[in-house]
């Protein structure tokens, strides 16, 4: 609704009669209001039952119908405003959820990046360990033929007429040639 700063005077024609209206609304707005009233009057004049009513009853009927239309329109506007508020709230909730999900997504991406870096580090460590293992195999000394011979099973000892080393030792020892002295019941040495 366009309002002027000063009160203005506007002449409108309603049902063939001129009326001077005073108000803060613009001339254009006042003419639109008058045009709306004229269009409603024309609609009602097309109805036979309306034309048979006295003029004051016709005017009241037009006023009642315009008031009815006003309140119904106002109710629709209020309902639309409620729907708009509800949709604004739903939109806010959706935006809030979207921001929350985006935040979660960023956190997951950061975690995935950390895991990728950890995997890359472990893969590098595996390559390093495999390289070290390969080098250690290359530089391991080969076994000497003598060492290989010593690992072979030695032949079992053969028993021959040769004396055992302890027997050889006892044969060479002078004490082994003399028998040990024998004692009687009284502890005296017996002569043999």
């Amino acid at each position: 609704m366009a309002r002027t700063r000063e009160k203005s005077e506007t002449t409108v024609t309603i049902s063939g009669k001129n009326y001077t209206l005073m108000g803060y609304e613009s001339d254009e707005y006042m003419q639109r209001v008058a045009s709306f009233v004229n269009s409603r009057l024309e609609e009602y004049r097309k109805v036979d039952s309306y034309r048979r009513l006295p003029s004051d009853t016709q005017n009241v009927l037009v006023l009642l119908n315009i008031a009815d239309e006003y309140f119904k329109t106002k109710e629709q506007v209020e309902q639309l405003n409620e729907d708009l508020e509800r949709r604004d709230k739903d939109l806010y909730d959706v935006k809030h959820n979207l921001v929350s999900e985006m935040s979660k997504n960023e956190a997951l991406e950061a975690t995935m990046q950390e895991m990728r870096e950890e995997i890359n580090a472990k893969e590098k460590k595996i390559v390093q360990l495999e390289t070290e293992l390969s080098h250690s195999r290359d530089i391991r000394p080969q076994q000497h033929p003598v060492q290989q011979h010593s690992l072979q099973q030695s032949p079992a000892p053969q028993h021959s007429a040769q004396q055992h080393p302890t027997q050889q030792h006892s044969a060479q020892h002078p004490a082994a040639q003399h028998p040990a002295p024998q004692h009687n019941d009284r502890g005296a040495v017996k002569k043999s």
Side-chain angles (χ1 to χ4, degrees):
M1 186 183 329
R3 288 178 173 249
T4 59
R5 292 183 181 176
E6 298 176 4
K7 203 170 191 181
S8 63
E9 188 177 291
T10 304
T11 301
V12 296
T13 303
I14 295 175
S15 198
K17 292 183 182 178
N18 291 330
Y19 296 91
T20 301
L21 305 176
M22 299 286 291
Y24 293 97
E25 285 78 15
S26 68
D27 183 60
E28 180 186 348
Y29 175 77
M30 298 303 282
Q31 294 299 334
R32 282 173 55 209
V33 170
S35 176
F36 175 78
V37 172
N38 282 325
S39 68
R40 289 298 177 267
L41 286 170
E42 287 298 319
E43 286 177 19
Y44 296 126
R45 285 189 187 122
K46 292 176 183 175
V47 179
D48 289 334
S49 59
Y50 174 80
R51 284 194 309 251
R52 285 189 237 123
L53 297 171
S55 63
D56 59 338
T57 306
Q58 287 178 349
N59 291 336
V60 170
L61 188 61
V62 169
L63 291 172
L64 287 171
N65 280 299
I66 288 175
D68 177 57
E69 190 173 337
Y70 164 77
F71 283 113
K72 286 179 178 174
T73 302
K74 186 178 179 185
E75 201 174 286
Q76 289 174 348
V77 168
E78 288 172 356
Q79 184 64 46
L80 288 171
N81 282 331
E82 287 176 13
D83 291 347
L84 186 61
E85 285 177 12
R86 189 168 48 253
R87 287 181 185 179
D88 281 347
K89 184 186 176 302
D90 291 346
L91 183 60
Y92 173 80
D93 291 344
V94 167
K95 284 181 179 177
H96 178 73
N97 290 340
L98 181 61
V99 168
S100 175
E101 291 301 318
M102 287 173 69
S103 177
K104 287 179 187 175
N105 191 34
E106 288 173 2
L108 285 172
E109 284 180 1
T111 303
M112 286 175 61
Q113 183 61 32
E114 289 174 7
M115 291 173 77
R116 282 189 201 106
E117 290 171 2
E118 188 177 342
I119 288 169
N120 286 340
K122 288 186 177 184
E123 286 177 345
K124 287 178 182 177
K125 185 68 176 175
I126 288 170
V127 169
Q128 179 187 356
L129 291 171
E130 287 175 345
T131 304
E132 289 174 6
L133 182 63
S134 173
H135 286 326
S136 70
R137 286 181 185 155
D138 291 344
I139 60 173
R140 187 191 318 167
Q142 293 182 352
Q143 290 184 339
H144 209 281
V146 174
Q147 291 174 333
Q148 288 177 355
H149 179 70
S150 67
L151 293 177
Q152 292 176 354
Q153 199 171 23
S154 56
Q158 297 176 358
H159 295 288
S160 63
Q162 294 179 350
Q163 294 181 336
H164 196 270
T166 54
Q167 293 172 346
Q168 290 176 359
H169 180 69
S170 62
Q172 295 171 356
H173 197 279
Q177 295 174 357
H178 303 288
Q182 296 181 356
H183 300 292
N184 65 12
D185 294 341
R186 294 183 206 157
V189 177
K190 280 178 143 194
K191 291 186 182 177
S192 50

